[in-house]
Amino acid sequence: MKTIQFREAIAEAMSEEMRRDESIYLMGEEVAEYNGAYKASKGMLDEFGPRRVIDTPISELGFAGVGVGSAMNGNRPIIEFMTFNFALVGIDQIINNAAKIRQMSGGQFDCPIVFRGPTASAGQLAATHSQAFESWYANCPGLKVVVPSNPKDAKGLLKSAIRDNDPVIFMESEQMYGDKGEVPEGEYTIPLGVAEIKREGKDVTIVSFGKIIKEAYKAAEELEKEGIECEIIDLRTVKPMDTEAILRSVKKTNRLVILEEAWPFGNVATEITYQVQQKAFDYLDAPIAKINTADTPAPYSPVLLEEWLPNHEDVIRAVKKVMYK
């Protein structure tokens, strides 16, 4: 194993796959000359040249469409959005073309494309740059949605996403690019659609994904001091969702808390809640608790932002509530 930053894991995954397959290229704003807005493509222009690491104008709709068209013609593009907030400008290409072309062409065209970039909040970036759209994309048939929380998972999942023959939404975080973690030295991939138990426990299941899962880890450490053992599941892939992993854990702990950085109405936690009450209702010893942001646009004020975001204290309160403590 070696210890690298999240951004280095992303760069390694892309570079290894581009060495393996010449049909793969990276395109987006500042990915080439500037080495990526978050330095997640550092050194790639030098290695692969300007035909495969391509800087674009600020034109998300345009370069998303170029990517979709080239994927239909045998390439495997990686399209980087500086943040998924900006993907709203190009969302027509993602939803109406990438996600639907296989069905609408009667199977004549695949669309092996990865749309990647950071999601959710990243400090005081205000309302229009602090949004989490995982549930939006997961709601659309034809898209796969991946949200890793650490360097090892990011590298293995991104390699699988690049090799996938369907469009994949790969969502990172500006606040995770500097995170360090152990990554295997050799070749490896992590299959899409498989969750992982990050911490074993017997008293309550906590399901989360992405950077906000760190708050679950903090809560679990505190709760352990009080004799409460939390089992933490990292979804890793939002769609397809590993519902069976969640159900197995809930059948063991009989309690469920879901932590997600997203607005509360109709999100990923809502779907998990439905699946569990539908398939494991008799195993539940308490109502399911879900923890989300406030139901408002993200505030700019640091005091209000801290209140808006879920944190480990929210998790502790939710766990104690489902345990009737």
Side-chain angles (χ1 to χ4, degrees):
M1 303 287 278
K2 60 184 178 181
T3 300
I4 60 174
Q5 291 184 329
F6 193 104
R7 59 169 58 90
E8 294 173 299
I10 295 294
E12 282 191 5
M14 294 190 293
S15 297
E16 288 174 15
E17 292 304 299
M18 287 174 69
R19 294 180 197 121
R20 187 184 63 82
D21 184 345
E22 290 190 355
S23 71
I24 300 167
Y25 67 89
L26 172 65
M27 181 165 60
E29 296 156 6
E30 299 186 352
V31 299
E33 296 288 347
Y34 192 65
N35 285 311
Y38 314 106
K39 301 298 179 272
S41 52
K42 187 176 181 180
M44 292 179 64
L45 175 63
D46 292 339
E47 178 174 356
F48 300 105
R51 287 179 61 85
R52 297 183 67 197
V53 182
I54 305 166
D55 276 333
T56 69
I58 301 173
S59 54
E60 287 82 4
L61 180 62
F63 64 76
V66 169
V68 172
S70 71
M72 293 169 60
N73 282 280
N75 292 304
R76 308 185 78 89
I78 305 166
I79 303 300
E80 178 179 314
F81 295 117
M82 198 174 291
T83 94
F84 266 95
N85 298 285
F86 304 155
L88 295 183
V89 183
I91 199 169
D92 178 61
Q93 291 293 341
I94 300 171
I95 300 298
N96 282 330
N97 289 332
K100 295 178 173 62
I101 194 61
R102 174 180 283 183
Q103 185 197 55
M104 293 180 69
S105 69
Q108 295 179 80
F109 292 102
D110 291 331
C111 193
I113 186 170
V114 174
F115 298 99
R116 53 160 292 269
T119 182
S121 66
Q124 287 180 265
L125 298 182
T128 61
H129 287 195
S130 303
Q131 303 168 106
F133 294 120
E134 291 89 333
S135 62
W136 284 31
Y137 292 109
N139 183 254
C140 180
L143 298 177
K144 298 177 180 178
V145 182
V146 181
V147 194
S149 67
N150 59 78
K152 178 185 175 183
D153 288 352
K155 182 177 179 180
L157 289 164
L158 182 53
K159 288 170 71 72
S160 292
I162 294 168
R163 297 180 189 186
D164 203 281
N165 285 328
D166 291 313
V168 179
I169 307 296
F170 195 92
M171 307 179 101
E172 303 153 17
S173 169
E174 292 163 67
Q175 292 182 321
M176 287 199 299
Y177 285 119
D179 288 0
K180 292 183 178 181
E182 289 191 337
V183 171
E185 290 276 4
E187 165 72 15
Y188 76 100
T189 60
I190 296 173
L192 307 187
V194 180
E196 184 175 44
I197 296 174
K198 297 295 189 181
R199 181 186 177 110
E200 299 263 356
K202 64 178 177 60
D203 295 321
V204 60
T205 299
I206 303 174
V207 176
S208 190
F209 57 89
K211 80 171 191 292
I212 201 68
I213 200 172
K214 296 176 184 179
E215 299 301 316
Y217 297 145
K218 292 178 190 175
E221 292 291 333
E222 292 296 315
L223 288 163
E224 186 178 36
K225 298 172 185 176
E226 301 181 35
I228 299 172
E229 297 182 17
C230 300
E231 181 147 293
I232 299 177
I233 295 178
D234 187 343
L235 279 184
R236 304 196 294 191
T237 303
V238 169
K239 190 177 184 182
M241 185 183 293
D242 191 355
T243 306
E244 289 304 314
I246 300 169
L247 293 173
R248 285 193 298 270
S249 181
V250 169
K251 289 176 180 179
K252 178 175 72 171
T253 67
N254 310 117
R255 294 172 174 84
L256 175 61
V257 172
I258 309 161
L259 172 63
E260 177 188 7
E261 184 182 339
W263 296 309
F265 189 91
N267 53 30
V268 175
T270 306
E271 177 62 21
I272 295 171
T273 300
Y274 171 77
Q275 292 291 336
V276 172
Q277 68 83 29
Q278 178 74 12
K279 298 173 181 176
F281 181 81
D282 291 337
Y283 290 88
L284 291 170
D285 287 343
I288 297 167
K290 72 187 190 83
I291 307 165
N292 301 119
T293 67
D295 195 12
T296 70
Y300 176 73
S301 157
V303 177
L304 292 176
L305 182 63
E306 184 177 355
E307 185 66 24
W308 182 82
L309 278 168
N311 59 46
H312 71 283
E313 293 177 350
D314 297 324
V315 179
I316 290 171
R317 282 193 292 270
V319 167
K320 289 184 175 180
K321 182 177 180 180
V322 300
M323 296 193 69
Y324 303 108
K325 289 184 177 289

